[in-house]
Amino acid sequence: GAGVSQSPRYKVTKRGQDVALRCDPISGHVSLYWYRQALGQGPEFLTYFNYEAQQDKSGLPNDRFSAERPEGSISTLTIQRTEQRDSAMYRCASSLGGSNQPQHFGDGTRLSIL
Amino acid sequence: GQQLNQSPQSMFIQEGEDVSMNCTSSSIFNTWLWYKQDPGEGPVLLIALYKAGELTSNGRLTAQFGITRKDSFLNISASIPSDVGIYFCAGGGGATNKLIFGTGTLLAVQP
């Protein structure tokens, strides 16, 4: 597609439920990133994929968070046993391969945990 | 999590004025980027800088990559109402190119 597409746009769920957030990167972009953005702050890095390989997951807060990109295109960020502190905007970005390529962001998924 | 120091935190200016904002880090980056974020939307890339000392323009926007590789600034000339938004700097370019973002500058432009 023309840009990074994320779904759902909004997700409201009860504490303790699992959620799955989807990212469809720009066509041809081999690098994919997940960030989390709290209100009034800049995005914070969660994890990075190069093709299907998860090469950096140092930003994932704990083991309830996981991500996959099985075919090197669409990625899913999964949060198990959600807690209220998980509420935030989750953003996906993609770029062409290479360490200096600029990242382009999607409009994000607003996650609210009740 | 780590965030870069960005200033000013907010600016309220008249249409037509020039604005300047900057970003500093205790770490060296190989790339500096500037993004603009409108309400309800994702950050949109404005300018990307790849070399220390580099000065790059994009229309009314000019950005520089500091010589020390620890800072960058963004200038907007002749501001217009649609410049309103939050501006973020970001440092990157390591092995994974993960971005470290600044704390953001809220720009308000009075017509």
Side-chain angles (χ1 to χ4, degrees), chain A residues 4-9 22-23 34 90-92 106-109:
Chain A
V4 177
S5 177
Q6 291 187 246
S7 61
R9 190 73 192 272
R22 172 187 165 120
C23 173
W34 283 98
Y90 289 82
R91 296 200 186 278
C92 178
D107 285 341
T109 294

Side-chain angles (χ1 to χ4, degrees), chain A:
Chain A
V4 177
S5 177
Q6 291 187 246
S7 61
R9 190 73 192 272
Y10 302 93
K11 178 70 176 178
V12 181
T13 192
K14 291 183 178 180
R15 185 178 55 186
Q17 297 293 308
D18 298 349
V19 296
L21 312 180
R22 172 187 165 120
C23 173
D24 194 349
I26 293 172
S27 179
H29 280 195
V30 302
S31 296
L32 185 147
Y33 302 79
W34 283 98
Y35 292 83
R36 180 167 68 175
Q37 187 173 18
L39 200 60
Q41 297 184 20
E44 292 188 10
F45 172 79
L46 295 176
T47 188
Y48 158 67
F49 290 85
N50 186 41
Y51 294 94
E52 72 281 0
Q54 188 175 21
Q55 298 197 333
D56 186 343
K57 54 181 181 179
S58 62
L60 296 177
N62 52 61
D63 60 8
R64 294 186 297 105
F65 287 72
S66 63
E68 62 175 8
R69 194 187 185 197
E71 297 180 1
S73 179
I74 292 170
S75 176
T76 302
L77 177 70
T78 301
I79 309 173
Q80 295 179 309
R81 305 180 303 283
T82 52
E83 301 177 4
Q84 285 189 326
R85 60 178 172 156
D86 299 334
S87 297
M89 177 70 81
Y90 289 82
R91 296 200 186 278
C92 178
S94 70
S95 71
L96 296 169
S99 61
N100 285 347
Q101 292 296 328
Q103 295 173 33
H104 300 272
F105 284 79
D107 285 341
T109 294
R110 168 72 67 187
L111 177 63
S112 298
I113 307 300
L114 305 178

Side-chain angles (χ1 to χ4, degrees), chain B residues 30 47-56 63-67 72-73:
Chain B
N30 292 327
I47 291 181
L49 302 157
Y50 299 106
K51 190 186 301 184
E54 177 182 359
L55 185 72
T56 296
Q64 184 157 31
F65 190 146
I67 287 291
S72 177
F73 72 74

